[in-house]
Amino acid sequence: MKYFLLFYVLILISISVQAQTEEEFTSNADSTLIIDGDTLPYYYNDFEPYVSGMFELSNSPDGYLETLSAEGGVIWKNRLIVGVFASSFQAPVSKKVIFPNDFNLSYKHGGLLLGYRTDRKKIFEFRFVQKVSFGEMVWTKTETNENLLADRFIILNPAIGIDVNLSRYAKLLGSIGYRKVIDLSLAQATEQEFDGVTFRLGISFGLFNFVER
């Protein structure tokens, strides 16, 4: 698995470097662009810092339920995305793990992300992101709020998404991906119950490159 991740990282970096040599628009000192014969203001930075909030639907023992995520990072030269993120499961899942007591399930995870995005300088842009995270899942006894059973795990989550450029400082985000859980060994919670397609919607704030139309 680690060789797969290394190969994925190298592919993303090589695509990003190659993309820097391609120019689709005529620019003047990174302050204007000539698009379809119109000269438009272009606000440009090599590094674009950002923070994002995301709402996610992903698989669980009780079906597709909600998770909230926070993310932060930088976009380098409109192409390469590097960042960190943290996620927390928000929906109630309750089972009698040890009869006759009721237990609630919770888990949190966080890690690194690496991605590549198109540099279309339009309202819509596309991105490809690989997330790798580490977390812990816990069964908590309902009556006493005692953490009784727990285990740590790893998540791999590649995704493809669309950015909607609202302004120099805000984007709407949407993505679909696939989550694979590894090394989870917990009563009444198998890896397969958390594997599956993920759906995300969110908003991102930062100092983005933007064409004023």
Side-chain angles (χ1 to χ4, degrees):
M1 186 61 67
K2 63 182 179 181
Y3 296 107
F4 167 78
L5 292 176
L6 178 60
F7 176 75
Y8 186 87
V9 169
L10 292 175
I11 289 294
L12 285 175
I13 292 175
S14 64
I15 292 175
S16 179
V17 171
Q18 182 180 2
Q20 303 305 313
T21 63
E22 300 176 0
E23 288 295 333
E24 300 179 11
F25 303 91
T26 302
S27 63
N28 178 18
D30 295 328
S31 60
T32 61
L33 289 175
I34 300 175
I35 303 177
D36 297 330
D38 295 326
T39 301
L40 303 175
Y42 182 39
Y43 302 94
Y44 178 83
N45 297 283
D46 281 344
F47 290 91
E48 304 167 68
Y50 72 90
V51 293
S52 303
M54 305 288 288
F55 174 84
E56 174 187 305
L57 288 178
S58 52
N59 204 15
S60 77
D62 285 356
Y64 274 79
L65 298 175
E66 60 268 21
T67 295
L68 297 180
S69 299
E71 178 183 317
V74 295
I75 304 169
W76 181 62
K77 291 192 174 181
N78 274 354
R79 298 286 188 169
L80 186 66
I81 307 169
V82 179
V84 296
F85 70 97
S87 298
S88 178
F89 183 59
Q90 299 295 308
V93 173
S94 180
K95 288 189 177 183
K96 295 184 183 296
V97 181
I98 301 176
F99 189 83
N101 301 300
D102 290 323
F103 290 81
N104 293 324
L105 181 69
S106 63
Y107 66 88
K108 297 178 180 180
H109 60 100
L112 305 175
L113 67 93
L114 183 66
Y116 170 82
R117 64 191 291 277
T118 60
D119 181 15
R120 299 298 182 186
K121 299 183 178 69
K122 296 181 179 179
I123 295 177
F124 297 98
E125 293 164 347
F126 298 92
R127 55 191 162 82
F128 309 88
V129 176
Q130 170 68 64
K131 292 185 174 182
V132 181
S133 58
F134 305 86
E136 185 175 41
M137 189 174 295
V138 179
W139 282 113
T140 302
K141 191 174 181 180
T142 305
E143 294 178 356
T144 62
N145 206 32
E146 176 187 2
N147 294 338
L148 191 63
L149 300 172
D151 191 38
R152 296 182 178 180
F153 57 87
I154 301 171
I155 291 180
L156 302 179
N157 191 187
I160 180 172
I162 297 178
D163 297 351
V164 182
N165 298 315
L166 301 178
S167 73
R168 294 176 60 189
Y169 309 107
K171 295 176 183 285
L172 289 179
L173 311 175
S175 69
I176 182 171
Y178 185 84
R179 182 172 71 178
K180 176 63 180 175
V181 179
I182 302 172
D183 291 337
L184 177 64
S185 180
L186 188 64
Q188 300 292 323
T190 65
E191 295 176 355
Q192 291 74 23
E193 289 178 305
F194 297 90
D195 293 345
V197 179
T198 58
F199 304 92
R200 291 191 184 92
L201 289 174
I203 189 166
S204 185
F205 298 99
L207 188 61
F208 301 116
N209 295 336
F210 185 72
V211 181
E212 197 75 60
R213 300 178 185 276

